[in-house]
Amino acid sequence: MSLHRLLFNPFLFMIILTTTLTLNSLLIVESSSNKKPASGPEINVTKYLSFPNFSTSQDITLLGSAAISTENNCIQIPENNLQYSAGRAIYSSPIRLFDPKTQTAASFTTTFSFQIQNPENDAGPISGGLSFVIVPDELTVGRPGPWLGMMNDACEDEYKVVAVEFDTRMNPEFGDLNDNHVGINLGSIVSTKSINVSDFGVYLNDGKVHRAWIIYDGLMKLFEIYIGPDGILPARAVYSGNLDLSPYLNEYMFVGFSGSTGNNHTEVHTVCSWNFTSVSRASLRVPSTETCESKIIVANGGNNIHVVPSKTPTSFYIFVAVVVLVFIIMINLYLNRKRKDENYSDETASFTKEKHRPAPPNYRARKFNFSEISSATRAFGELQVLGSDTRSVTYKGTLVNGCNVAVKRFYSKFFSSRGSERRRLIKEVKLVGKIRHPNIVPIRGWSFDRQETIVVYNFAPNGSLDKWLLGFGVLPWTRRFKVVKDVAEALSYLHSKELAHKNVKASSVFLDISFRALVGDFGFVLSSMESTRFESLVSQKVDVFEFGVLVLEVVSGRARRSGPGEMDLLDLAWAMHVGGEKGKLVDRRMGPVVNPDQANRALEVGLMCTLNDNKGRPTMEEVVEYLNFEKPVPELPRTRPVSLFPYSSTTGLCSGYSCSFK
């Protein structure tokens, strides 16, 4: 029955209208009878921290190069590696700093004593900086160098942070005033306010102990900073002005300190005492006024108790009214169906046709014009370059719809003059472009115009894994283990589709904004001497071997390629296993928060993947089961395999036809 016939049936319309008004009245009565205040009086939520000194037993989370010195009981950033390092010391529990109901930032006051010095020359030039930070998590370490361990360029747009930096190096690209300034950073490494503290007789790099007072009034939005000798509050603030912190705060945030040093510069930042107090507004929830006493009557002097029968609940009337309404509508529909005419049949057919209209096609990779790619990458400008290798250059691009992409542009010299390799790459790109998996970087499209060979990927905001293992800071164990499992899931899926990645390494694994691992940068084309049949036989086995080496990199925080005079990572891992000391391979920078069972399982799986294929190397499907603890890992040999997979410590890749015999 059509909708207009239903509504313009006078008898049925009156019934629906009457029933609707009745239901509405009943709901209003019941709502008013059960109405409870959503919130009660406002109160102040106060948090107070006091650290006259620091020890390892306190609730301080240390990340990266941060440590607590046992000599002076101070937080020290960095601990050992004085060049190009970053660290954080964060109070372990979150603090309420924003009221979502009133959209008001909390008021807080913090004071701490700090010292910045050069361990090699007390009066010499130094470089780096220390920051008081308010951050959304206790796991992330920012980049070293000018980023002060506060942020990194990969996630700056999404990462909420409030910081006060004490910077001893001038970085013009960040708008720094000089090499002796204090900055207020709101969601960006570029300071919203910057103050030359030389005007106040303060020299951050003089090696003396300074004390900072940071005061913020959330209601007045007044921000003040004082710096002076330890124990003496200066009469004049180095900064006093109105700032609204609320857009940069979550309801709960973490507070603490971060610091970094740059290349060829040494600097040590110490924080020896710290007090912090915050006050935020919150509303108490008022409990219900209904009590057990209101439901019982005490009779006969209180000796006998009986429950007073309650009235028929309003919900029962609502139920009866709905049933009656549905029954009447069904009868009316049945009677009208008998009287349907040709117009009604045509209307029904039209409605059915519209209802089953084909859905729009799912998102698929598409062809881009060269002009689109050129515009997105600013004509392949140098500032857009993300990285390069012997075959290609990768650029960051922004499409006309605002989406960020990674554009991989292959060198024309990479392909043979006959063009067969280019045709094969185009075929493989289109094939992989159909793949969709949560742990595989989607191919958004391609461009093969003007003899250009370009592949367009989705952009991963947090960059590649190798930068985090060897550059940005220290990934905590929970994220590392998840990366290993994510990559295993992606490779297992590819192998189940009879495909292979052919380029498994840390620089081909990317991290999205939530640090989920995405496998990308496929090795589309092997060298011309390798046949398709050979590739199909060995590529998946190569993936498994390379995944094993990747796992060792993630657990140890080391590069697979050794430096001069150092043992190669794979050789080192097997030597430690044979000596019963593979636990020493775990990256010590992660601190004591590593899960030993997970770390041991990851190392065993990594070593197993590097076994000869006929001596126990697993499939990726089995690797996923091992990492999920769904089945035990077979015992590894106690002696190093005589012939490992032909892994080159120089290239890190399988070499020659010998792969097929493993």
Side-chain angles (χ1 to χ4, degrees):
M1 181 180 181
S2 65
L3 181 60
H4 75 273
R5 286 173 179 260
L6 181 65
L7 293 178
F8 288 97
N9 184 316
F11 173 71
L12 185 59
F13 179 79
M14 289 301 298
I15 292 177
I16 294 176
L17 178 61
T18 304
T19 308
T20 302
L21 292 174
T22 303
L23 288 175
N24 187 50
S25 300
L26 291 172
L27 289 173
I28 292 174
V29 170
E30 179 159 344
S31 175
S32 62
S33 64
N34 294 328
K35 187 176 181 181
K36 302 175 184 178
S39 60
E42 288 192 348
I43 63 168
N44 287 332
V45 178
T46 303
K47 182 69 175 180
Y48 177 67
L49 307 178
S50 179
F51 296 97
N53 51 50
F54 296 92
S55 67
T56 55
S57 62
Q58 294 169 333
D59 293 332
I60 298 292
T61 299
L62 301 171
L63 302 172
S65 62
I68 293 179
S69 171
T70 56
E71 297 180 2
N72 54 16
N73 295 325
C74 295
I75 294 173
Q76 181 173 313
I77 307 174
E79 178 184 13
N80 294 318
N81 182 18
L82 301 180
Q83 295 186 10
Y84 206 69
S85 63
R88 279 189 185 177
I90 303 293
Y91 182 64
S92 302
S93 300
I95 296 174
R96 192 173 190 271
L97 290 174
F98 179 71
D99 181 14
K101 180 181 178 182
T102 61
Q103 295 291 300
T104 303
S107 298
F108 64 85
T109 300
T110 185
T111 178
F112 51 91
S113 61
F114 69 96
Q115 182 183 37
I116 301 176
Q117 60 180 337
N118 184 343
E120 297 178 359
N121 180 359
D122 292 340
I126 54 182
S127 173
L130 175 73
S131 297
F132 168 76
V133 293
I134 301 175
V135 291
D137 67 76
E138 79 283 27
L139 301 174
T140 303
V141 179
R143 289 187 62 184
W147 299 87
L148 304 181
M150 179 199 316
M151 303 188 70
N152 64 75
D153 53 356
C155 60
E156 181 177 356
D157 294 337
E158 297 85 3
Y159 192 71
K160 285 191 173 183
V161 62
V162 174
V164 177
E165 64 174 43
F166 302 84
D167 200 346
T168 61
R169 180 172 175 81
M170 181 178 178
N171 296 286
E173 66 274 22
F174 295 152
D176 289 348
L177 296 175
N178 57 15
D179 59 358
N180 187 50
H181 66 274
V182 170
I184 302 174
N185 299 62
L186 303 180
S188 173
I189 192 62
V190 179
S191 299
T192 302
K193 300 292 182 181
S194 189
I195 306 98
N196 178 10
V197 292
S198 301
D199 296 339
F200 298 85
V202 176
Y203 299 93
L204 301 173
N205 60 359
D206 58 6
K208 296 179 180 179
V209 177
H210 301 277
R211 177 166 291 276
W213 291 262
I214 302 172
I215 304 169
Y216 183 68
D217 188 324
L219 294 177
M220 301 294 293
K221 298 181 176 57
L222 179 62
F223 202 105
E224 295 181 298
I225 303 173
Y226 296 83
I227 304 178
D230 191 18
I232 303 175
L233 178 64
R236 186 165 61 124
V238 298
Y239 175 80
S240 179
N242 291 104
L243 288 176
D244 186 6
L245 303 189
S246 57
Y248 309 96
L249 296 175
N250 297 328
E251 182 174 5
Y252 287 90
M253 304 281 282
F254 292 83
V255 297
F257 303 91
S258 71
S260 71
T261 57
N263 284 324
N264 303 318
H265 299 285
T266 60
E267 181 168 295
V268 174
H269 318 91
T270 56
V271 179
C272 292
S273 65
W274 179 33
N275 290 331
F276 179 90
T277 303
S278 67
V279 179
S280 63
R281 301 292 290 171
S283 298
L284 284 177
R285 291 186 176 180
V286 177
S288 170
T289 57
E290 186 178 53
T291 65
C292 292
E293 183 180 2
S294 64
K295 294 184 177 182
I296 62 174
I297 293 179
V298 180
N300 298 327
N303 295 326
N304 297 320
I305 300 177
H306 64 90
V307 179
V308 176
S310 61
K311 295 186 297 182
T312 303
T314 307
S315 58
F316 176 78
Y317 294 119
I318 296 175
F319 173 78
V320 172
V322 171
V323 170
V324 172
L325 177 62
V326 172
F327 183 74
I328 293 173
I329 291 175
M330 291 180 67
I331 292 176
N332 191 273
L333 289 173
Y334 175 76
L335 294 176
N336 277 275
R337 181 173 296 177
K338 287 187 175 183
R339 298 192 299 269
K340 65 183 179 179
D341 53 15
E342 184 178 355
N343 291 334
Y344 174 75
S345 300
D346 294 339
E347 185 180 357
T348 303
S350 176
F351 175 77
T352 303
K353 182 178 180 180
E354 183 177 351
K355 181 178 180 180
H356 294 89
R357 182 184 301 167
N362 293 329
Y363 166 76
R364 291 183 179 179
R366 69 177 180 89
K367 179 181 179 180
F368 286 91
N369 294 326
F370 180 79
S371 59
E372 290 182 83
I373 305 298
S374 179
S375 175
T377 59
R378 299 182 182 180
F380 301 98
E382 292 185 5
L383 295 178
Q384 302 298 110
V385 174
L386 295 174
S388 62
D389 54 29
T390 57
R391 318 189 288 177
S392 62
V393 180
T394 302
Y395 301 84
K396 181 179 180 181
T398 304
L399 302 178
V400 292
N401 60 4
C403 293
N404 291 327
V405 292
V407 177
K408 190 177 185 70
R409 185 186 193 188
F410 288 88
Y411 297 125
S412 58
K413 64 180 181 181
F414 172 68
F415 304 104
S416 64
S417 58
R418 292 173 296 177
S420 59
E421 291 175 351
R422 184 172 184 269
R423 289 193 297 271
R424 181 181 169 198
L425 182 143
I426 293 172
K427 181 179 178 181
E428 291 190 14
V429 167
K430 293 181 177 180
L431 179 63
V432 176
K434 300 176 182 179
I435 298 296
R436 290 294 178 268
H437 187 272
N439 300 115
I440 296 177
V441 179
I443 292 180
R444 189 175 278 269
W446 54 79
S447 176
F448 303 132
D449 295 345
R450 305 180 185 180
Q451 295 302 309
E452 290 281 356
T453 306
I454 298 172
V455 182
V456 182
Y457 293 92
N458 275 7
F459 179 73
N462 274 328
S464 58
L465 176 62
D466 61 321
K467 301 297 191 301
W468 286 93
L469 290 177
L470 306 172
F472 281 168
V474 180
L475 276 178
W477 171 251
T478 52
R479 287 184 176 171
R480 294 198 196 199
F481 191 60
K482 187 177 185 303
V483 164
V484 169
K485 294 170 67 175
D486 287 347
V487 175
E489 292 279 0
L491 294 179
S492 177
Y493 178 80
L494 283 174
H495 292 187
S496 71
K497 299 296 182 182
E498 298 184 355
L499 298 171
H501 186 274
K502 298 179 285 187
N503 192 30
V504 180
K505 54 185 178 180
S507 60
S508 299
V509 177
F510 302 90
L511 303 176
D512 68 7
I513 192 61
S514 62
F515 283 84
R516 177 182 58 178
L518 306 171
V519 175
D521 197 16
F522 289 74
F524 289 114
V525 180
L526 298 178
S527 64
S528 57
M529 65 179 293
E530 294 169 332
S531 67
T532 303
R533 180 176 178 274
F534 169 75
E535 178 187 341
S536 64
L537 288 174
V538 304
S539 292
Q540 293 185 4
K541 298 175 183 179
V542 174
D543 280 356
V544 177
F545 178 86
E546 293 293 336
F547 173 78
V549 180
L550 174 66
V551 172
L552 299 179
E553 287 186 289
V554 172
V555 175
S556 66
R558 304 178 184 214
R560 61 172 65 187
R561 304 173 189 176
S562 60
E566 297 180 357
M567 185 178 292
D568 183 85
L569 176 59
L570 187 56
D571 296 334
L572 177 63
W574 273 105
M576 287 188 169
H577 166 68
V578 172
E581 298 179 328
K582 65 174 177 287
K584 293 183 178 180
L585 199 64
V586 177
D587 191 350
R588 294 183 179 180
R589 296 177 300 166
M590 292 185 289
V593 295
V594 178
N595 184 312
D597 294 334
Q598 293 176 347
N600 187 64
R601 176 61 61 97
L603 286 171
E604 290 178 345
V605 170
L607 291 172
M608 181 178 296
C609 289
T610 64
L611 291 171
N612 296 341
D613 186 47
N614 59 353
K615 297 295 184 181
R617 187 185 305 165
T619 64
M620 287 310 304
E621 183 180 4
E622 291 174 321
V623 166
V624 171
E625 294 175 335
Y626 294 146
L627 293 174
N628 289 330
F629 289 85
E630 296 174 0
K631 60 189 300 186
V633 178
E635 186 176 354
L636 291 167
R638 299 305 302 176
T639 58
R640 175 176 172 170
V642 175
S643 176
L644 290 174
F645 199 97
Y647 169 81
S648 169
S649 61
T650 303
T651 64
L653 299 174
C654 172
S655 57
Y657 284 98
S658 55
C659 297
S660 60
F661 301 109
K662 302 306 173 191

